């Protein structure tokens, strides 16, 4: 959290905190219509159908619905599993298995149970499925020769369950950062996730939300102001305001998301200038990444604080807002005063109210510029052409690439192998196409480490790498045409071109043999730049399934698949290829007990 001091702290005559709180009482719409509709739906459902909470341990949540995450709103509840894997996961409703997913990413091993009355429940990051589901899923991967699975079991598979039946066991698969169960309630026809705390899953919450910080945004940059400061904040020009607001649920200290927010701007005569509202009752996966436009992205990117804009950016397609499309702009003449009243609710109905008094004048706030400055050339988006021609590169994008008009810039270093691309601290909804002229062949060959070639430039194995704090954040394979790299970059920041000619590493995870107790075979697999693209295991020439865990660089053949002979030597081969085609193979003879 930033610290901040207001420079000018005079309070306007006639205004007091008491007066402002009284004004808040004027607004009656404490809950959105969605809240009522969803709660009634859950009540109706439970009056006529069985409902079982999916875990048998006391319910502790590490995350809730609508919380800001990575580049999306969180679509379910994260239920703690006491730091362990392997807890039974129960069907919340009667239902038929509508979708089975197995993936090293995202939901990992996940089940979608289609229940009555248009309700589907989702169980993600599982360790494994109940035996009949596991058998069906594994058979299906062998049929399709694919490590991942995303399929609907046919009715003939007979995968129907009753509320309370065990569907599988909790785990940490996919993009999970620790053992837990990710649980969702969805509307079946739309597959829109609904807020499970609106009558589906009961969780006590006695604490009102926290709303500690205002964020102000102007042409001069960004500044934060604590919400408990009693001072008037002096601003000049056009200002947009955001607020940091989050909630904590009983029994855990995890920062969770709020449910509803209402912000009202009033002028000095107490007349309402605009109102901004949202409610997190229902989400839509097709636009869920517009969370990047809902939050104040420069702060989100650096601090991961739960900050909500009190306005809607032009490109924001989220369907969570009520009322008119407020610009959210505050523009005050010198001496003019406006009051911003913001109320925040959690899903249990606990409320927190904050008021910010703004006055026009010479602002002495310590504004900080967030973008990289002083570089050139730049172009403004949306421009007629959406292109930027720099000495070494041409950048092009369209008006869907950013959520609002944004300056795009490029500057390459003296070697021509690294470049800074901005905006770095604005959300990118799409990608920017880059045609980047390769520097002289001496420079290119100097880094490739190979003997001087016949060709002017090597054309294969190029990767654009974006590193943050020494970690590869993005690696984008580049095509080479006529001495030019071509690729689509997904974000701003420092990018460098490297050749990845190094094959992945494939070795037994433990010393000697990949075979471990119980008959599983485990390999360590790693590729440093381009990243692992494919893994192919054969046992005696026959394709076999691997469980790929990129978090631990672990590829496992599970003996339970039973595709290996016992008691006789058999030829096993694992081939791994990276994203630019470098391949490595481990092969050996294994004898299963
Ligand atoms: Zn989750």
């Amino acid at each position: 959290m930033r610290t901040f001091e207001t420079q000018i702290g005079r309070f306007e005559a006639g205004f007091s905190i008491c007066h402002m709180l009284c004004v808040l009482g004027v607004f009656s719409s404490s809950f959105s219509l969605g809240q009522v509709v969803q709660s009634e739906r859950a009540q109706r459902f439970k009056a006529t159908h069985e409902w079982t909470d999916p875990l048998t341990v006391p319910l502790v949540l590490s995350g809730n619905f609508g919380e800001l995450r990575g580049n999306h709103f969180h679509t379910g509840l994260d239920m703690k599993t006491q730091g362990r894997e392997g807890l039974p996961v129960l069907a919340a409703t009667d239902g038929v298995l509508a979708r089975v997913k197995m993936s090293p990413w995202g939901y990992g091993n996940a089940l979608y149970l289609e229940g009555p009355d248009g309700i589907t429940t989702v169980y993600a990051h599982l360790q494994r499925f109940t035996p009949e589901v596991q058998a069906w899923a594994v058979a299906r991967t062998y049929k399709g020769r694919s490590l991942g699975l995303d399929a609907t079991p046919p009715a003939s598979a007979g995968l129907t369950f009753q509320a309370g039946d065990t569907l599988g066991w909790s785990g940490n698969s996919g993009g999970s950062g620790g053992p837990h169960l990710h649980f969702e309630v969805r509307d079946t026809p739309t597959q829109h996730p609904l807020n499970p705390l609106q009558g589906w899953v009961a969780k006590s919450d006695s604490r009102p939300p926290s709303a500690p910080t205002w964020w102000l945004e102007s042409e001069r940059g960004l500044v934060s102001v604590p919400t408990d400061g009693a001072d008037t904040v002096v601003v000049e020009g056009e200002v947009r305001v955001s607020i940091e607001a989050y909630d904590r649920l009983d029994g855990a200290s995890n920062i969770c998301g709020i449910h509803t927010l209402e912000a009202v701007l009033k002028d000095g005569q107490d007349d309402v200038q605009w109102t901004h509202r949202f409610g997190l009752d229902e989400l839509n996966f097709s636009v869920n990444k517009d969370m990047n436009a809902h939050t104040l992205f420069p702060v989100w990117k650096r601090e991961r604080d739960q900050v909500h804009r009190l306005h809607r950016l032009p490109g924001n397609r989220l369907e969570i807002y009520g009322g008119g499309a407020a610009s959210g702009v505050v523009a005050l003449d010198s001496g003019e005063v406006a009051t911003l009243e913001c109320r925040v609710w959690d899903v249990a109905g606990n409320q927190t109210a904050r008021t910010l008094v703004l006055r026009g004048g010479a602002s002495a706030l310590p504004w900080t510029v967030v973008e990289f400055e002083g570089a050139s050339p730049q172009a403004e988006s949306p421009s007629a052409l959406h292109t930027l021609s720099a000495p070494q590169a041409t950048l092009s994008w369209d008006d869907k690439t950013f959520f609002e008009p944004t300056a795009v810039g490029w500057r390459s270093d003296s070697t021509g192998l690294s470049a800074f691309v901005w905006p770095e601290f604005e959300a990118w909804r799409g990608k920017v196409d880059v045609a980047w002229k390769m520097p002289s062949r001496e420079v290119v060959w100097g880094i490739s480490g190979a003997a001087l070639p016949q060709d002017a430039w090597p054309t294969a194995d190029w990767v654009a790498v974006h590193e943050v704090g020494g970690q590869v954040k993005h690696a984008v394979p580049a095509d080479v045409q006529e001495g030019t790299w071509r690729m689509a970059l997904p974000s701003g920041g420092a990018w460098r071109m490297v050749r990845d000619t190094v094959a992945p590493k494939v070795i037994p995870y433990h010393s000697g043999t990949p075979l471990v107790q119980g008959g599983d075979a485990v390999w360590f697999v790693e590729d440093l730049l381009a990243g692992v693209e494919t893994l192919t295991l054969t046992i005696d020439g026959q394709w076999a399934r691997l469980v790929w865990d990129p978090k631990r660089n672990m590829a496992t053949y599970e003996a339970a698949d039973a595709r290996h002979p016992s008691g006789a030597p058999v030829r096993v081969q694992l081939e791994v290829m990276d994203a630019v085609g470098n391949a490595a193979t481990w092969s050996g003879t294994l004898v299963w007990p």
Side-chain angles (χ1 to χ4, degrees), residues 123-250:
Y123 314 79
H125 307 310
L126 301 180
Q127 181 191 63
R128 68 204 146 92
F129 306 138
T130 201
E132 69 261 42
V133 177
Q134 186 80 15
W136 180 84
V138 167
R140 188 64 191 256
T141 60
Y142 276 91
K143 205 172 154 198
R145 295 197 167 189
S146 150
L147 299 190
L149 179 68
D150 186 355
T152 300
S156 60
L159 299 176
T160 55
F161 296 88
Q162 294 192 312
D165 285 351
T166 299
L167 293 175
W169 287 271
S170 72
N172 188 31
S173 58
S176 166
H180 73 282
L181 173 69
H182 172 97
F183 175 70
E184 286 180 15
V185 178
R186 291 192 186 180
D187 174 62
T188 303
T190 60
Q191 287 297 303
H192 286 182
L194 309 176
N195 194 330
L197 293 181
Q198 285 176 328
W200 300 101
V201 173
K203 178 65 202 166
S204 63
D205 178 3
S206 52
R207 278 179 284 185
S210 300
T213 311
W214 301 105
W215 281 93
L216 278 58
E217 188 185 11
S218 80
E219 282 202 327
R220 293 175 60 184
L222 283 180
V223 70
S224 65
V225 183
T227 56
D228 57 5
D231 295 345
T232 298
V233 172
V234 179
V235 293
E236 59 193 314
E238 292 193 343
V239 174
R240 297 191 297 196
V241 185
S242 302
I243 190 166
E244 181 189 3
Y246 56 85
D247 194 39
R248 284 196 171 95
L249 305 174
D250 291 357

Side-chain angles (χ1 to χ4, degrees), residues 391-437:
Q392 223 194 356
T394 303
L395 281 67
S396 48
W397 63 96
D398 63 31
D399 44 32
K400 293 193 169 63
T401 302
F402 303 103
F403 289 104
E404 62 178 337
T406 297
V408 172
W410 164 276
R411 186 167 71 185
S412 52
D413 74 355
S414 56
T415 68
L417 292 165
S418 299
F420 197 90
V421 183
W422 72 93
E424 185 182 12
F425 292 105
E426 292 297 333
W428 292 38
R429 195 168 87 181
K431 294 178 179 175
V432 171
D433 288 318
V434 178
W436 182 347
K437 261 181 92 156

Side-chain angles (χ1 to χ4, degrees), residues 37-54 59 77 79 91-94 116-117 119 121 163 183 185 195-203:
V37 170
Q38 293 304 341
S39 298
E40 282 174 358
R41 186 173 182 179
Q43 267 174 23
R44 259 200 329 268
F45 185 98
K46 287 186 164 182
T48 41
H49 304 287
E50 290 291 318
W51 177 272
T52 306
D53 280 351
L59 181 66
L77 299 179
M79 301 182 166
T93 69
D94 297 347
D117 286 354
I119 286 297
T121 47
F183 175 70
V185 178
N195 194 330
L197 293 181
Q198 285 176 328
W200 300 101
V201 173
K203 178 65 202 166

Side-chain angles (χ1 to χ4, degrees), residues 310-351:
L310 302 182
H311 50 274
R312 189 172 176 177
L313 295 186
N316 178 347
R317 298 160 297 176
L318 291 163
E319 296 148 358
I320 60 173
Y321 304 101
S327 72
V329 171
V330 184
L332 299 173
D333 291 334
S334 186
E336 219 181 329
V337 174
T339 306
L340 183 62
E341 294 157 354
C342 186
R343 291 192 292 167
V344 179
W345 293 266
D346 61 25
V347 73
N350 300 304
Q351 181 191 315

